[in-house]
Amino acid sequence: MPRPCLIERVGDEIPAPRKSPGQNTTSLLRRSTRKRSMPPGFTSMFSSPPPSAKKSRKAPKVPPLPVIPPTLLTLPYCAISRLLLCLDVASLENLSATCYYFDQLIAGKFLLALHFPFPVGFIKEVMADNCFEKKPLLKISCKKSWEDFQTIPDLPGDLSESSSTHKLIIGNSPDMMDYLVFSQMSLLSLHKLRELDLVPDSVRIDGRVLGHRIMDSYSNFDCSLLRHISSLGSLSCVTRLDVLVDHNLYLEQYMLQMPNLLELGLSILTGGSLSKHVYLNKYIPRLEAVVAASKAPILKVTVVAETRRLVYKVFKNNYVEKLVLTGPCTFNLFLVMERLKEVVVVNLDTLFFEDNCNYWKSRSDDRGLHRDGLCCVHIGSVYENCPNLERFMGVEIGSVSHNQSFNKWNTRIKKRFFDHYLQQGGSKEMKAWAKTRWFSRRPVVPKEIGYDRVFN
């Protein structure tokens, strides 16, 4: 009898389930009611189970990557280019000399500084090249040097006359100077010009200040230079301006064209014999107008020489935060500057007189120390006119509130300046000191300043 196959036996041993009418033929698995805890490794479908302790002991330890300390070179280019905008040209020159990267980034793209009119050495470089690139110039210096040079260097000395920048400026007519400025400026790219330094190397000849004729020639040349730069629209990029001016003070018309000015330096040389009419109707109104028109937060004023008159000047400005004044004790300055934070005064009398202080009506035996608070700048004028002032000639006054009467404010300020007087070596008692070195009444600040002095 044939042996039945294995499949048939298995089929015989597993009974088929009963089917009821309308019931699905798919077999259903019974769910388990047993509760199981979820392993930690299955909390996420993408996570892998943790290695065993034995495997973790055998795994090699990867050393951490070394941390590179941050430097200027590790900064992004956009950050570096932004930082370079905050540096003056002298700092850019120093930075470009540190490494190849900054040399290419700064000196490779810009012509940092150039003397004007062109030095003979620069002209030789231009002549030696068949072509040259007009890189953006950042700084122009016009120092009116007295150093001689050969006008035609390749000729023998007896055929080539010697000259200097000073001789060129004072020995030619204004029209010739305009042509010189125009011809040489055409070789420069000034659309990124940032600094102008027009102060001469020296303002004294054999111990005496420059005469009227030289000052007129210097002023005409500087005015021609500024006029040409203004015609190109490049004054809007200037951030620093240093210039020597006399009683004419031609700068007011250019102040409005320099909205990005950060520092204004005025060197004043008016001579000591201005008439009363010129002093009151030209010099003071124009000086006050130039200061009022400036938007630079730093103002530096150096009074080289000035006619001595007991007339108070008023510097009114809403942008100045720091004032640096170098001048005689009789400069007579009132301040009306709401953003001013610091006043630095360098007394010029100390440099040129045996006695330090030459304030008005000062006794000959009381000139060993300056009258801080009176010399150059009258501190009484800052009451309610400079509410943010913090330091005055090194004395901290920011904590003395202006929300009190002038007498109370003056009493507290006086105490601080008397302590400063004692620290400098003063020996007077406070009562004797206040009688000759301080004030008791509030100074009257003129309301009409600038051209209002003349027309009202």
Side-chain angles (χ1 to χ4, degrees), residues 163-378:
S163 183
S164 66
T165 305
H166 165 76
K167 293 178 181 179
L168 289 176
I169 293 177
I170 67 172
N172 289 283
S173 64
D175 294 338
M176 180 61 73
M177 288 295 98
D178 287 339
Y179 178 75
L180 174 65
V181 171
F182 175 76
S183 59
Q184 293 200 357
M185 282 292 178
S186 62
L187 302 177
L188 302 176
S189 175
L190 303 178
H191 66 282
K192 291 188 177 182
L193 183 65
R194 294 171 59 175
E195 296 185 18
L196 278 169
D197 184 5
L198 308 181
V199 180
D201 282 333
S202 177
V203 294
R204 297 180 180 272
I205 304 175
D206 299 329
R208 302 176 62 182
V209 295
L210 300 178
H212 179 70
R213 175 174 171 268
I214 296 178
M215 277 299 303
D216 282 346
S217 299
Y218 283 3
S219 297
N220 291 333
F221 185 80
D222 293 342
C223 189
S224 176
L225 185 60
L226 287 173
R227 185 167 57 247
H228 184 80
I229 298 174
S230 173
S231 66
L232 299 176
S234 300
L235 286 180
S236 59
C237 301
V238 174
T239 58
R240 284 173 173 83
L241 173 64
D242 290 284
V243 61
L244 176 67
V245 294
D246 57 4
H247 60 276
N248 292 307
L249 283 131
Y250 55 88
L251 290 177
E252 183 190 359
Q253 57 182 322
Y254 301 109
M255 286 293 100
L256 298 179
Q257 302 179 37
M258 293 184 276
N260 296 313
L261 195 64
L262 300 177
E263 182 177 314
L264 173 62
L266 298 176
S267 296
I268 302 174
L269 198 163
T270 66
S273 58
L274 287 183
S275 65
K276 184 177 181 180
H277 175 77
V278 174
Y279 190 91
L280 296 179
N281 296 282
K282 181 179 287 187
Y283 167 54
I284 289 184
R286 292 186 178 184
L287 175 60
E288 293 176 343
V290 168
V291 172
S294 172
K295 295 184 179 180
I298 300 177
L299 174 62
K300 296 182 178 180
V301 178
T302 302
V303 185
V304 180
E306 184 197 42
T307 302
R308 181 182 171 112
R309 290 189 182 276
L310 187 54
V311 178
Y312 280 98
K313 312 168 186 68
V314 181
F315 282 1
K316 184 177 182 180
N317 188 284
N318 296 328
Y319 298 92
V320 174
E321 298 179 5
K322 181 178 181 179
L323 172 64
V324 180
L325 175 62
T326 303
C329 297
T330 56
F331 189 64
N332 305 325
L333 179 62
F334 287 163
L335 299 178
V336 182
M337 299 177 174
E338 60 181 23
R339 294 187 181 181
L340 185 64
K341 296 181 180 179
E342 183 179 4
V343 175
V344 178
V345 176
V346 179
N347 297 95
L348 198 64
D349 294 340
T350 307
L351 304 177
F352 299 104
F353 296 98
E354 183 178 356
D355 298 324
N356 288 339
C357 184
N358 283 272
Y359 189 70
W360 303 103
K361 300 180 181 180
S362 60
R363 297 176 55 179
S364 58
D365 59 347
D366 191 19
R367 296 178 179 177
L369 296 175
H370 286 289
R371 289 157 172 79
D372 295 344
L374 293 179
C375 290
C376 296
V377 184
H378 199 301

Side-chain angles (χ1 to χ4, degrees), residues 111-156:
L111 182 60
L112 295 180
L114 184 65
H115 289 281
F116 194 88
F118 295 158
V120 176
F122 179 79
I123 297 177
K124 285 184 176 181
E125 292 181 6
V126 174
M127 293 176 60
D129 293 334
N130 294 327
C131 62
F132 62 93
E133 179 186 359
K134 292 174 63 173
K135 296 180 181 179
L137 177 62
L138 299 185
K139 180 178 180 179
I140 292 179
S141 298
C142 184
K143 309 304 288 183
K144 289 89 173 173
S145 175
W146 290 59
E147 183 179 356
D148 289 338
F149 59 84
Q150 298 298 120
T151 54
I152 306 179
D154 297 333
L155 293 179

